[in-house]
């Protein structure tokens, strides 16, 4: 019997198998654009997945073969005409993406086509990005008279550095998968037919490790990037020390010495 469970959301498809949850943003006719309904569904689902005991890793992709996510929904954006409302629009998306970035469980973005605007920002909020050969990344907001509002000015700059992030954000140009790999925006590029299988293999590999080690490593990486080296090293030593008191640490070291596979319980 397959262990996958499927739940119905208005704008997302979602399944769980082997401790890996896979989310598809599911508006292919609008290139999976992030409407407020998508953000509401994502907030609800991510909040749930962060605490579910049967999930250790999450993969996010887009439905169809053309787009991961082609940005915030421009039809909704076009209705904005009030600075307070506009600020709240940005903060709403930022809050959902921060829920992803601060998750104790890793999120892998499997970018299967256009990742523009909010789509690029969604991928940037994930901890690992892989993509198909046809993927295109970009922050084209200046073409619409706005700037990235779901974290792009901050996370793209942290991932790519100031020079390239400024190039992308000011020109609105698209970066192809080859350049994305060269510049470290993605970890791997594969043909589209292999993308989800690669994402799931990576997810299952990570899910087989000690969950507290994974969440501690994520915390040190995500929080450490905005800290001084002294603070980051302090955090790393603190988490390292805590992990030496975990059952999983004793299981991992015993399993190594006994030449068997460890059975990690997340304790
Ligand atoms: N918001 C709302 N609808 C969008 C959208 C978005 N961000 N991106 C694409 N769509 C819709 C199109 O309006 C079209 O809908 P329709 O068939 O009802 O007219 C459908 O998705 C297909 O898109 P289309 O533009 O016809 O596909 P294309 O292959 O010609 O171009 C893109 C693909 C990605 C280059 C183009 O859709 C695009 O530039 N999208 C907007 C990207 C953007 O600016 N994102 C940042 C928003 S802040």
């Amino acid at each position: 019997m397959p262990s996958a469970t499927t739940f119905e959301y208005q704008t997302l498809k979602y399944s769980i198998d082997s401790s890996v949850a896979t989310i598809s943003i599911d508006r292919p006719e609008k290139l999976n654009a992030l409407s407020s309904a998508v953000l509401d569904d994502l907030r609800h689902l991510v909040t749930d997945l962060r605490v579910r005991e049967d999930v250790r890793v999450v993969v996010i992709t887009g439905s169809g073969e053309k787009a991961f996510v082609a940005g915030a929904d421009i039809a909704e954006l076009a209705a904005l005409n009030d600075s307070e409302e506009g600020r709240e629009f940005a903060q709403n998306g930022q809050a959902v993406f921060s829920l992803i970035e601060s998750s104790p469980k890793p999120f892998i973005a499997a970018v299967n086509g256009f990742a523009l605007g909010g789509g690029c920002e969604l991928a940037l909020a994930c901890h690992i990005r892989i993509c198909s050969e046809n993927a295109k990344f970009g922050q084209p907001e200046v073409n619409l008279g706005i700037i990235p509002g779901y974290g792009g000015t901050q996370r793209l700059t942290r991932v790519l550095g100031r020079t390239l992030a400024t190039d992308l954000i000011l020109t609105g140009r698209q970066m192809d998968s080859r350049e994305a790999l060269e510049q470290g925006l993605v970890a791997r590029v594969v043909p589209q037919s292999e993308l989800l299988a690669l994402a799931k293999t990576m997810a299952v590999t990570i899910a087989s490790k000690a969950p507290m080690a994974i969440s501690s490593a994520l915390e040190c990486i995500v929080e450490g990037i905005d800290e001084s080296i002294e603070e980051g090293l302090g955090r790393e030593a603190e988490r390292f020390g805590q992990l030496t008191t975990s059952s999983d640490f004793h299981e991992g070291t015993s399993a190594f010495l006994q030449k068997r596979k460890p059975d990690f319980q997340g304790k």
Side-chain angles (χ1 to χ4, degrees):
M1 283 283 285
S3 59
T5 319
T6 304
F7 299 81
E8 286 302 325
Y9 278 83
Q10 199 191 330
T11 64
L12 306 175
K13 284 188 180 151
Y14 155 53
S15 65
I16 297 175
D17 192 19
S18 308
S19 301
V20 176
T22 303
I23 303 173
S24 293
I25 315 281
D26 193 30
R27 297 182 75 206
E29 72 289 351
K30 295 291 179 190
L31 304 189
N32 304 319
L34 296 175
S35 61
S36 51
V38 177
L39 288 176
D40 286 349
D41 279 353
L42 263 182
R43 181 188 303 98
H44 185 276
L45 182 53
V46 170
T47 302
D48 184 41
L49 295 177
R50 281 173 54 127
V51 297
R52 282 183 70 130
E53 291 198 351
D54 57 345
V55 171
R56 290 189 179 179
V57 183
V58 182
V59 172
I60 299 191
T61 192
S63 288
E65 297 189 343
K66 196 167 166 184
F68 174 68
V69 165
D73 191 310
I74 297 173
E76 286 186 9
L77 262 178
L80 293 174
N81 188 21
D82 176 89
S83 58
E84 180 75 7
E85 206 186 326
R87 184 169 58 76
E88 285 169 7
F89 186 96
Q91 286 174 332
N92 182 41
Q94 289 178 0
V96 176
F97 291 2
S98 290
L99 262 185
I100 292 173
E101 186 178 52
S102 66
S103 164
K105 301 169 184 178
F107 278 64
I108 300 174
V111 177
N112 56 313
F114 290 112
L116 302 177
C120 190
E121 291 165 306
L122 172 60
L124 286 164
C126 293
H127 305 100
I128 298 175
R129 285 163 293 286
I130 61 173
C131 75
S132 52
E133 288 163 343
N134 65 322
K136 293 261 170 53
F137 297 84
Q139 298 288 166
E141 287 85 350
V142 290
N143 296 329
L144 303 173
I146 49 175
I147 61 171
Y150 293 170
T153 61
Q154 302 307 300
R155 293 196 181 97
L156 194 66
T157 309
R158 280 164 175 74
V159 171
L160 286 183
R162 189 162 163 167
T163 302
L164 208 46
T166 306
D167 163 11
L168 285 167
I169 291 169
L170 299 196
T171 66
R173 76 174 173 91
Q174 294 179 9
M175 176 183 270
D176 65 18
S177 58
R178 191 181 48 80
E179 187 182 3
L181 183 66
E182 277 170 12
Q183 297 298 341
L185 183 55
V186 298
R188 308 209 203 150
V189 181
V190 288
Q192 187 161 57
S193 59
E194 297 169 22
L195 182 67
L196 265 193
L198 172 63
K200 286 182 183 169
T201 300
M202 292 174 79
V204 167
T205 301
I206 295 168
S208 73
K209 315 299 180 194
M212 288 164 63
I214 295 295
S215 61
S216 296
L218 277 187
E219 181 202 313
C220 290
I221 293 166
V222 170
E223 298 296 329
I225 196 131
D226 294 320
E227 292 175 331
S228 68
I229 184 81
E230 289 80 12
E231 289 168 322
L233 290 173
R235 182 188 292 275
E236 182 183 86
E238 189 69 29
R239 292 288 168 264
F240 185 96
Q242 285 171 348
L243 289 168
T244 62
T245 68
S246 68
S247 307
D248 279 349
F249 169 62
H250 296 293
E251 166 63 10
T253 47
S254 304
F256 178 82
L257 295 172
Q258 294 162 10
K259 303 191 188 303
R260 62 174 174 81
K261 277 183 76 174
D263 178 18
F264 293 123
Q265 301 296 324
K267 292 179 190 150

